[in-house]
Amino acid sequence: MRKLAIISFYFAVAIFLSKYLAAHEWLLICGGIAAVCSLAGFFFTGNNRKRIIIALLAVAIGFLWFWTYETIFVKPYFALHEETMATTVTITDYPVARRTRGYRVDASFRLDGQRATNVRLYFNNEAELKPGDIVEVTAQFQRTDITSDGDRFDALISRGIPLSARVSGNLSVIDFDNSIRYLPKRVAEAVAQRIDEIFPEDISAFMQALLMGKRDKLYSDTSLTSSLSTSGIIHIVSVSGMHIAFLMGFLAQIIRSKKLFSFYGIPILLFFMAMTGFTPAVSRAGIMQIFLLCAPLFRRERDSITSLSFALLVLLILNPFAIASVGLHLSFSATLGIILFTSKIRSTVLDSFRSNRRFRKKIPRATLNFVTSNLATTIGALIFTIPLTAIHFGHVSIIAPLTNLLTIGAVSLVFPLGLVAVLFSFVIPILGSIVAFPVSQAARYIIYIARAFATIPFSIVYSTNAHIMLWLAYVYVMFSSLPLLKARFRQYILPICISLMLLFILILVTPLSSIVDTNSITVVDVGQGLSVVVTSDDFTMVVDCGSITANNPGEIVHEFLMNIGRTSIDLLALTHFHSDHSNGVEFLLSRMSISVLAIPDPQGDFIAYGIIELARSRGTDIIYVTETLSIELGDNNDTTIFLYPPMGVGDSNEQGISILTIGDVTALITGDMASSTERALLRFATLPKLDVLVVGHHGSRHSTSDELLDALMPDIAVIPVGRNSFGHPAQEVLDRLARIGAVVYRTDEHGHVTIRAPLKT
């Protein structure tokens, strides 16, 4: 093993352990122990001595560097945690509208006597800001390794942003820094605007993400992002090694001289990295590419393992917290898999086909080379990333190998030609539009593949499904043992068939396992939001699907449904259209077949019309609940579902619908209606005694009135609540429920709450 690879590996191990050691002083202790233990290497001889000494010294340096970095550069800013102060910051990027509410923007600021650090600002009022603006703010700061304010845990600190800040009031621009360091971001914004101009509206957000890594507009299209994730090709809109390879490959076609290519390629690459924000994945790919470009200049051989190790070492020296980056994990694992396995897989497949005369005559060589190269690259990249995806995201895309194979060729054309179209648009706009036309068709093909394959049942499986995870472990053990047995290509066919057969059996068995004990109501833990799943024999109803704290409430509900064997929804009912009740609906519509959508009058609600449009495009029938609707399930099922029209006046909370289920479990769901509207419902409908009350408005003191509780006397009350600043659930509500003797469950304390007949959770 190469010395640099050994150093990088053990240095990274030490950094990884340092990140999760609870006591800070343990870093010094562990570093000292590793340094002392390195002396044991002198008892060995030859290469073993070198490896032991290098490895243990790398571990010692890793522990000590993390302690030094955190002590000097991070701890002074961590000390601001939960403090509110007025300060001056310099904006480093353009503001982005958040999916829930308000805006965010990245900035830098400096404490007296400290090196400047990065901070992410969250604010409510729209502001015209650009990189270089010097702004006065009053904000409350928080450490990003403790709370992420809607961002994935550790996503910010791994990018060198140790603090977030919630701004109170407006941001006041007092000056402007016209430094050249903000030029890449300004160019990136100009490129994004050009993309909007030359590409059609239906793919402009996709092209911005693909070419520049700007995903804020793409994330607003929940249907598309969920399709890309389900089909296993979401990585194409996260600028990483693949995009760097496409960029450098395109430049190599223009600049033939190796020395000129290195001379011009390195600054172009650095500028592109700066435009995309120097994310860990982009930095890894860029550093590795620069290392490879410099090799000919110093008359050294190109070595992928050495360059990958060097990239990891540089990144962790610059920011040890990058070890927590999911993007970095996936980028390195994909690259390592490609380096170690792609060429072997490709040569094995090619040799097998070429030795068969029948295939050799029928398949053109160019076609065979193209297919085998893409297949080998796809498999190589997935070997290590599939387990990491299961760990980090809790799911695995079963169809990822196929969708990657079908789209990699199109992506390799769309990326360079898309850049050409943008460059032409700055010089001759009409020429840019002409080049953009065929690129648009190829992009639509990629999107079509993602949407089509995402609708296949069990195209994605979740790591909470123990049977699927055991199957995945079996596949890895089996295919790891075949190379040790020196198996030939043909000998892989039977294990592949057995694996696919076992997966097919598991997919069939999962729905069958849900036949027993199917009549139930589950309040799904989606954080500060609401989603309720009602099952009765083979009938499935979902009421609401939204949250203001969960990253993706639609995925949480989809995972729950898949794990109980429900691959479609018969009725999706929305009490109203506030985001904490509906922002996961588009995700569900893109993932599952939904027969009927029942909603109140949208009354010009923007979110409502987006849901309605998507539902119609998916073939879902839409019912507007303007009068009482009753659904009798029948066929040996005595469950009846009542949908009551809006009862109140005022905002959407009071003009939402309510749902009553009568059967093995009698339950009432009132959404966010207030006490006055609850009283109107009691006057309007004859409601029975309840088994379950889904407590209204997440436990707000303005809901779940004494009148409602005295009339319905629920045995169980479930409060759908998550982390919030509203004081939910209110103590008054808890006292009211205690007065009538209801058993109280909270999703923030108990997770998913399922009630079956006879009543049990």
Side-chain angles (χ1 to χ4, degrees):
M1 186 181 290
R2 301 164 185 88
K3 293 179 182 178
L4 185 57
I6 295 174
I7 293 171
S8 299
F9 174 77
Y10 286 100
F11 184 81
V13 168
I15 295 293
F16 180 82
L17 294 175
S18 299
K19 177 68 182 70
Y20 299 103
L21 280 176
H24 191 65
E25 55 271 13
W26 274 104
L27 299 177
L28 291 174
I29 296 172
C30 292
I33 292 173
V36 171
C37 288
S38 68
L39 298 176
F42 290 101
F43 292 101
F44 296 85
T45 59
N47 290 330
N48 289 333
R49 171 188 289 185
K50 292 180 181 178
R51 288 173 181 171
I52 292 172
I53 293 174
I54 290 173
L56 290 174
L57 285 179
V59 169
I61 294 170
F63 281 119
L64 296 176
W65 173 240
F66 191 95
W67 178 86
T68 302
Y69 184 92
E70 186 177 30
T71 301
I72 297 176
F73 301 122
V74 177
K75 271 200 165 184
Y77 291 99
F78 276 177
L80 297 178
H81 181 59
E82 294 188 344
E83 283 195 16
T84 300
M85 60 179 288
T87 187
T88 300
V89 301
T90 303
I91 305 299
T92 58
D93 205 343
Y94 289 88
V96 173
R98 302 180 68 199
R99 280 181 289 176
T100 51
R101 63 184 184 278
Y103 304 85
R104 63 173 173 81
V105 69
D106 291 340
S108 68
F109 84 111
R110 181 194 301 272
L111 288 175
D112 291 339
Q114 300 295 328
R115 188 186 70 166
T117 195
N118 298 310
V119 59
R120 173 157 291 183
L121 304 178
Y122 297 98
F123 54 99
N124 293 324
N125 300 325
E126 187 175 3
E128 293 283 339
L129 298 173
K130 59 184 179 298
D133 282 342
I134 299 174
V135 178
E136 282 187 345
V137 297
T138 299
Q140 183 183 46
F141 291 90
Q142 288 185 320
R143 294 170 54 167
T144 55
D145 65 333
I146 293 178
T147 178
S148 54
D149 205 354
D151 292 291
R152 186 177 174 83
F153 177 73
D154 269 351
L156 296 181
I157 196 167
S158 66
R159 295 176 56 189
I161 306 176
L163 288 176
S164 66
R166 180 159 296 281
V167 177
S168 57
N170 296 321
L171 294 87
S172 304
V173 179
I174 59 173
D175 203 351
F176 180 69
D177 182 358
N178 198 28
S179 172
I180 193 173
R181 62 179 173 173
Y182 302 114
L183 179 61
K185 284 297 182 181
R186 294 168 192 158
V187 172
E189 184 67 14
V191 169
Q193 292 175 2
R194 288 288 179 175
I195 291 173
D196 281 339
E197 293 172 5
I198 64 176
F199 288 101
E201 185 178 356
D202 62 317
I203 65 164
S204 62
F206 174 80
M207 291 303 299
Q208 280 194 21
L210 178 66
L211 298 181
M212 303 299 303
K214 293 176 69 69
R215 289 170 288 175
D216 47 289
K217 288 181 63 177
L218 182 69
Y219 284 157
S220 64
D221 187 347
T222 309
S223 170
L224 178 55
T225 52
S226 68
S227 296
L228 291 169
S229 177
T230 303
S231 57
I233 57 175
I234 189 69
H235 62 90
I236 67 175
V237 293
S238 301
V239 176
S240 59
M242 181 180 69
H243 302 77
I244 298 293
F246 289 154
L247 175 64
M248 303 313 291
F250 175 68
L251 290 176
Q253 297 299 316
I254 301 173
I255 308 171
R256 294 291 183 173
S257 170
K258 289 185 178 180
K259 289 187 177 181
L260 287 177
F261 179 56
S262 299
F263 182 78
Y264 290 109
I266 292 175
I268 291 173
L269 179 56
L270 287 171
F271 194 83
F272 180 76
M273 292 165 63
M275 288 173 63
T276 56
F278 285 112
T279 61
V282 171
S283 299
R284 189 279 309 162
I287 294 170
M288 187 174 174
Q289 192 64 237
I290 291 170
F291 197 82
L292 293 173
L293 287 173
C294 290
L297 298 179
F298 295 97
R299 298 182 179 180
R300 300 296 296 270
E301 292 183 4
R302 295 187 176 191
D303 186 272
S304 298
I305 290 291
T306 301
S307 60
L308 182 64
S309 303
F310 179 75
L312 178 61
L313 193 61
V314 170
L315 284 175
L316 295 183
I317 290 173
L318 294 175
N319 176 20
F321 288 90
I323 197 69
S325 169
V326 175
L328 186 69
H329 297 170
L330 295 174
S331 179
F332 268 90
S333 60
T335 305
L336 186 61
I338 291 171
I339 292 172
L340 295 179
F341 301 109
T342 293
S343 62
K344 295 178 182 178
I345 295 171
R346 182 176 179 274
S347 60
T348 301
V349 175
L350 281 175
D351 291 343
S352 179
F353 276 104
R354 287 169 180 168
S355 64
N356 190 309
R357 293 181 179 179
R358 183 175 55 185
F359 285 111
R360 188 171 58 193
K361 291 179 179 180
K362 289 184 177 180
I363 303 176
R365 176 172 293 184
T367 302
L368 183 60
N369 287 335
F370 176 79
V371 173
T372 53
S373 295
N374 287 336
L375 178 63
T377 302
T378 299
I379 295 174
L382 291 174
I383 286 174
F384 294 132
T385 57
I386 285 177
L388 286 175
T389 302
I391 293 170
H392 287 304
F393 302 108
H395 61 72
V396 174
S397 175
I398 297 296
I399 58 172
L402 180 58
T403 52
N404 277 273
L405 182 62
L406 292 174
T407 57
I408 187 65
V411 175
S412 65
L413 291 175
V414 170
F415 182 81
L417 291 181
L419 290 179
V420 170
V422 172
L423 291 174
F424 281 168
S425 70
F426 281 101
V427 183
I428 308 174
I430 187 64
L431 187 58
S433 299
I434 292 172
V435 177
F437 178 76
V439 176
S440 301
Q441 308 315 310
R444 288 193 177 104
Y445 163 77
I446 297 169
I447 293 172
Y448 171 78
I449 291 293
R451 291 190 187 279
F453 281 82
T455 59
I456 299 174
F458 291 97
S459 56
I460 191 171
V461 294
Y462 293 93
S463 56
T464 49
N465 187 325
H467 298 101
I468 295 294
M469 289 303 104
L470 286 174
W471 171 83
L472 189 62
Y474 159 76
V475 169
Y476 269 83
V477 170
M478 182 175 60
F479 283 96
S480 297
S481 62
L482 287 174
L484 298 176
L485 299 174
K486 298 182 179 180
R488 296 182 179 181
F489 175 72
R490 292 181 181 178
Q491 293 172 305
Y492 281 80
I493 296 176
L494 181 60
I496 290 173
C497 293
I498 293 174
S499 299
L500 293 175
M501 182 179 66
L502 287 174
L503 178 62
F504 183 70
I505 292 172
L506 286 174
I507 289 173
L508 288 178
V509 167
T510 300
L512 293 176
S513 65
S514 68
I515 292 177
V516 181
D517 232 5
T518 55
N519 300 331
S520 65
I521 176 171
T522 299
V523 183
V524 182
D525 178 17
V526 291
Q528 182 68 7
L530 175 65
S531 188
V532 181
V533 175
V534 179
T535 60
S536 184
D537 290 342
D538 59 350
F539 179 85
T540 305
M541 176 175 71
V542 175
V543 179
D544 287 351
C545 181
S547 174
I548 60 173
T549 56
N551 282 330
N552 196 331
E555 185 166 27
I556 295 172
V557 176
H558 180 259
E559 177 181 356
F560 174 80
L561 291 170
M562 294 294 287
N563 285 340
I564 63 171
R566 304 285 170 156
T567 59
S568 62
I569 298 172
D570 298 288
L571 174 62
L572 173 60
L574 300 184
T575 58
H576 61 297
F577 296 103
H578 282 171
S579 61
D580 59 335
H581 291 252
S582 65
N583 63 5
V585 172
E586 291 186 8
F587 186 96
L588 276 185
L589 283 166
S590 66
R591 287 281 181 97
M592 308 188 77
S593 173
I594 299 177
S595 300
V596 178
L597 173 66
I599 55 175
D601 186 346
Q603 298 182 355
D605 191 291
F606 176 77
I607 295 177
Y609 287 128
I611 292 172
I612 291 169
E613 182 180 354
L614 180 58
R616 285 174 176 164
S617 70
R618 308 291 288 183
T620 300
D621 294 328
I622 301 174
I623 297 175
Y624 296 94
V625 183
T626 56
E627 59 183 9
T628 301
L629 300 177
S630 63
I631 303 171
E632 296 183 5
L633 300 186
D635 295 334
N636 300 321
N637 190 333
D638 58 358
T639 299
T640 303
I641 296 172
F642 292 91
L643 305 179
Y644 296 113
M647 299 287 164
V649 294
D651 65 11
S652 296
N653 287 344
E654 313 313 320
Q655 298 187 53
I657 66 174
S658 47
I659 297 94
L660 173 70
T661 67
I662 298 178
D664 290 339
V665 179
T666 300
L668 178 66
I669 306 164
T670 60
D672 282 352
M673 64 172 55
S675 299
S676 58
T677 310
E678 291 173 349
R679 290 189 286 269
L681 176 63
L682 290 172
R683 292 191 297 268
F684 177 83
T686 303
L687 301 178
K689 181 183 181 301
L690 296 179
D691 295 322
V692 180
L693 172 67
V694 179
V695 174
H697 207 168
H698 319 290
S700 166
R701 63 187 178 88
H702 301 294
S703 300
T704 317
S705 61
D706 286 320
E707 293 90 336
L708 183 75
L709 295 176
D710 290 338
L712 305 182
M713 295 297 292
D715 295 317
I716 296 174
V718 184
I719 306 175
V721 65
R723 177 175 57 87
N724 67 90
S725 58
F726 310 114
H728 298 163
Q731 187 59 47
E732 296 97 314
V733 171
L734 297 175
D735 292 341
R736 292 173 204 158
L737 293 170
R739 179 181 62 80
I740 65 167
V743 179
V744 177
Y745 294 96
R746 297 169 47 163
T747 56
D748 62 338
E749 294 180 351
H750 301 96
H752 303 332
V753 178
T754 300
I755 296 96
R756 302 180 181 90
L759 293 187
K760 59 180 181 178
T761 59

